[in-house]
Amino acid sequence: MGPKTAACVLLFSLDRPFFPVDTHVHRVAKRLGLVPARADAVATQASFQESVADDEMYPLHMNLIRHGREVCTAERPRCSECVLRDLCPRIGVTSSR
Ligand code: SF4
């Protein structure tokens, strides 16, 4: 079992404060500069695990996934509609990074 799956089981099944990082969370975190652009998913998960308050892990995880699926999509992020555009250092970037 990898770290993402383990964190999912702990968060969703056992209600423990763990922060899974899937492809959407990872992409949005990098674009927003929350983690270094070269951070891998394991490093991103460790960073969120250390810095996010326990009671914010579930809602932040869910909101980052939703944002990544609906707005900050992999191929064509909808930056003009993004509520985070004034904070985002990568506004307008259309690559999948
Ligand atoms: S401004 Fe664009 S790149 Fe930045 S978080 Fe929003 S959708 Fe993603």
Side-chain angles (χ1 to χ4, degrees):
M1 179 184 304
K4 181 190 76 175
T5 303
C8 283
V9 171
L10 288 161
L11 179 67
F12 295 114
S13 298
L14 300 175
D15 198 25
R16 298 280 307 279
F18 280 82
F19 201 100
V21 171
D22 74 347
T23 187
H24 302 292
V25 171
H26 194 206
R27 180 179 64 254
V28 174
K30 288 195 295 183
R31 285 179 174 169
L32 284 170
L34 301 178
V35 294
R38 294 186 180 184
D40 62 17
V42 173
T44 299
Q45 184 167 321
S47 178
F48 277 104
Q49 189 67 41
E50 183 178 303
S51 61
V52 177
D54 289 358
D55 63 346
E56 295 294 335
M57 289 189 182
Y58 179 83
L60 181 59
H61 171 81
M62 297 303 291
N63 281 322
L64 285 174
I65 286 180
R66 183 175 179 190
H67 189 65
R69 286 177 175 160
E70 297 180 2
V71 181
C72 193
T73 53
E75 296 301 322
R76 293 177 188 236
R78 296 160 55 193
C79 299
S80 64
E81 303 169 33
C82 180
V83 296
L84 302 173
R85 64 187 175 276
D86 290 341
L87 302 172
C88 183
R90 298 194 57 169
I91 186 167
V93 172
T94 57
S95 75
S96 60
R97 292 184 179 184

